[in-house]
């Protein structure tokens, strides 16, 4: 099997990777690929094989199994996405006790109020960049309020987050990690000194398992880091991608406007069709692993192509059709296995409320023909556009 050079696909691959994934899938569900910088890894593009890989304990999340210690561990610490059992089990148990369904549902009135406040600010102009004016402020406000982070610091978080998910280079990535890590250390110390409070970070500081176990300082920093980045960056693109998908499929938008009961279907189909996470984070083979008839040797890096999996015609018939009435059960936008997204209920809640408010308040919402061309988020991790010009 020859190595696939992803760099040869060019900018069109970033704008629309799905035809390329389909071409790869036609010749097999697993491929060895190479990035323009020379980095090689194995890419899984078949739904059945990808779902199996996401839950396979032979595919570790910690790069220590192949002798690598990433800079992130020294600056931020080990968080859930980089931990394996039993460490992952322990960390998830501690955070799950604080990040509850009841806490998530209690945020509904605040999210509803916030979306209407943002719509009020947008309305007089008649046009806006939906990302800056709406899709970004909703989740960053929610996660910062949930964690107890002051409003004045949110612009800094956006800069750090942009560099962390799509860094310009290694120095900018390390700088963003150091900036955010230092900020979180200071915030945690302030909250320790202030004592018990109702925010999530204070809850994590106080969280204690039945055996007395609790999160250490580095673990608290790493957990707050993960919740901040994963807790808003993906939801920004869930909202903007769903709006973009609806505006580019006017018949589906008309169906949703005619029947608001299709709202959940629109969210789930957007997650399947063009979700905010294009690929998983890396996994590493502890031993040789056979996926889809292909043997991946021990010590290799593996990436599961979430976007590719959810366009597999073996799982979803006519997968390139955006259909908000589709049965989307089995999509993998939030992952699978022990690393299934802890914040999925919050992301869905924010997505539903943000979309409902937007459609109710702007019945003539459309793409702005005078807006700049879409600028896609670079890299393989996040799927979305930097800006989405709309008008009403």
């Amino acid at each position: 099997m020859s190595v696939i050079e992803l760099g040869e696909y060019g900018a069109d691959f970033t704008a629309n990777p799905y035809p390329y994934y389909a071409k790869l899938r036609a010749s097999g569900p697993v491929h060895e690929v190479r990035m323009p910088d020379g980095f090689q890894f194995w890419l899984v593009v078949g739904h059945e094989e990808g779902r199996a890989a996401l839950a396979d304990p032979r595919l570790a999340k910690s790069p220590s199994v192949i002798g690598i210690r990433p800079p992130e561990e020294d600056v931020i610490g080990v968080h859930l996405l980089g931990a394996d059992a039993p460490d992952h089990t322990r960390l998830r148990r501690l955070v799950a006790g604080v990040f509850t369904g009841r806490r998530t549902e209690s945020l509904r009135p605040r999210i509803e109020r916030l979306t209407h406040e943002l719509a009020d600010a947008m309305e007089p102009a008649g046009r806006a960049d939906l990302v800056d004016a709406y899709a970004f402020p909703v989740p960053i406000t929610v996660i910062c309020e949930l964690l107890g982070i002051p409003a004045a610091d949110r612009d800094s978080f956006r800069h750090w987050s942009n560099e962390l998910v799509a860094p310009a280079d290694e120095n900018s990535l390390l700088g963003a990690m150091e900036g955010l890590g230092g900020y979180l250390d200071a915030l945690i110390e302030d909250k320790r000194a202030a004592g018990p409070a109702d925010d999530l970070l204070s809850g994590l500081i106080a969280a204690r398992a039945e055996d007395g176990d609790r999160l250490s300082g580095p673990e608290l920093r790493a957990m707050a880091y993960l919740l901040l980045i994963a807790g808003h960056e993906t939801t920004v693109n869930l909202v903007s991608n769903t709006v973009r998908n609806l505006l580019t499929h006017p018949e589906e938008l008309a169906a949703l406007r005619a029947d608001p009961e299709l709202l959940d279907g629109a969210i789930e189909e957007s997650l399947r069709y063009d979700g905010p996470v294009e690929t998983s984070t890396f996994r590493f083979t502890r031993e040789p692993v056979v996926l889809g008839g292909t043997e991946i040797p021990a010590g290799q890096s593996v990436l599961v192509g979430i976007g590719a999996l959810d366009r597999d015609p073996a799982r979803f018939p006519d997968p390139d059709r955006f259909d908000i009435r589709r049965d989307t059960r089995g999509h993998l936008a939030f992952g699978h296995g022990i690393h299934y997204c802890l914040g999925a209920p919050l992301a869905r809640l924010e997505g539903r409320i943000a979309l409902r408010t937007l459609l109710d308040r702007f019945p003539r919402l459309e793409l702005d023909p005078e807006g700049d061309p879409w600028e896609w988020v670079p890299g393989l991790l996040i799927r979305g556009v930097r800006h989405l010009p709309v008008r009403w």
Side-chain angles (χ1 to χ4, degrees):
M1 180 186 295
S2 60
V3 177
I4 305 297
E5 299 286 350
L6 291 184
E8 292 181 357
Y9 292 160
D12 188 51
F13 177 67
T14 302
N16 185 15
Y18 302 108
Y20 297 95
Y21 290 143
K23 184 178 179 181
L24 288 174
R25 194 187 309 108
S27 60
V30 180
H31 296 271
E32 190 171 14
V33 302
R34 183 160 42 226
M35 295 293 284
D37 63 4
F39 179 63
Q40 282 187 212
F41 58 92
W42 296 82
L43 178 66
V44 185
V45 295
H47 189 279
E48 181 181 348
E49 295 78 13
R51 189 175 189 273
L54 290 171
D56 193 329
R58 296 173 300 171
L59 295 170
K61 291 306 298 287
S62 172
S64 63
V65 302
I66 61 171
I68 295 175
R69 181 177 173 85
E72 183 177 354
E73 285 194 17
D74 293 323
V75 179
I76 298 296
V78 177
H79 52 67
L80 283 169
L81 270 182
D84 299 298
D87 294 333
H88 176 274
T89 308
R90 169 182 167 269
L91 291 171
R92 183 132 181 164
R93 183 180 69 243
L94 283 166
V95 71
V98 178
F99 204 84
T100 61
R102 178 180 297 178
R103 184 187 287 270
T104 296
E105 183 57 33
S106 73
L107 297 170
R108 180 182 295 275
R110 174 63 181 125
I111 300 170
E112 290 174 343
R113 187 168 69 252
L114 173 62
T115 59
H116 281 285
E117 290 169 355
L118 293 168
D120 288 341
M122 289 165 56
E123 195 165 13
R127 56 175 18 107
D129 169 13
L130 191 81
V131 175
D132 280 349
Y134 194 74
F136 171 76
V138 172
I140 195 65
T141 300
V142 170
I143 197 65
C144 284
E145 289 182 357
L146 189 58
L147 284 168
I149 291 169
D153 297 332
R154 289 169 201 170
D155 284 344
S156 296
F157 278 109
R158 185 168 198 186
H159 168 73
W160 288 327
S161 181
N162 283 342
E163 289 300 325
L164 288 166
V165 301
D169 52 47
E170 285 192 17
N171 287 334
S172 64
L173 174 63
L174 189 58
M177 285 183 187
E178 291 173 344
L180 181 53
Y183 175 87
L184 290 173
D185 281 340
L187 182 66
I188 289 165
E189 287 309 306
D190 287 346
K191 289 191 175 295
R192 283 191 195 279
D198 192 40
D199 62 83
L200 183 60
L201 188 51
S202 296
L204 288 172
I205 292 170
R208 189 186 295 269
E210 291 181 3
D211 60 2
D213 184 24
R214 63 195 312 171
L215 295 168
S216 67
E219 288 170 342
L220 278 166
R221 178 181 62 236
M223 193 69 73
Y225 164 86
L226 179 61
L227 291 172
L228 269 170
I229 302 304
H232 91 271
E233 189 69 43
T234 51
T235 308
V236 171
N237 292 287
L238 167 58
V239 173
S240 61
N241 286 4
T242 302
V243 173
R244 177 171 49 80
N245 291 332
L246 287 166
L247 294 182
T248 53
H249 295 84
E251 69 289 349
E252 297 301 294
L253 176 57
L256 176 56
R257 287 195 180 281
D259 182 3
E261 294 298 314
L262 292 172
L263 179 63
D264 283 358
I267 295 289
E268 297 304 315
E269 174 66 344
S270 191
L271 283 164
R272 180 206 70 83
Y273 176 82
D274 199 18
V277 179
E278 186 173 338
T279 67
S280 69
T281 50
F282 278 103
R283 284 164 167 75
F284 309 94
T285 50
R286 302 176 186 271
E287 59 188 75
V289 175
V290 177
L291 287 174
T294 297
E295 180 173 304
I296 304 174
Q300 298 287 297
S301 302
V302 178
L303 210 54
V304 178
I306 303 296
L309 272 48
D310 284 341
R311 295 276 193 113
D312 187 342
R315 180 62 184 81
F316 297 104
D318 196 7
D320 296 326
R321 179 170 55 90
F322 182 67
D323 178 7
I324 65 175
R325 295 180 179 86
R326 181 194 297 273
D327 181 356
T328 57
R329 285 176 296 180
H331 79 66
L332 297 166
F334 290 114
H336 176 64
I338 66 170
H339 290 283
Y340 182 83
C341 178
L342 185 70
L346 177 58
R348 285 186 164 111
L349 180 66
E350 290 179 282
R352 290 180 191 126
I353 294 173
L355 188 57
R356 180 76 276 152
T357 299
L358 197 68
L359 296 180
D360 287 347
R361 293 291 300 272
F362 303 101
R364 297 177 63 189
L365 186 71
E366 62 180 0
L367 294 172
D368 189 344
E370 298 177 18
D372 292 333
W374 294 337
E375 177 190 352
W376 296 91
V377 176
L380 292 176
L381 178 61
I382 295 295
R383 172 80 182 150
V385 292
R386 297 282 199 199
H387 305 282
L388 185 63
V390 295
R391 69 179 186 183
W392 48 90

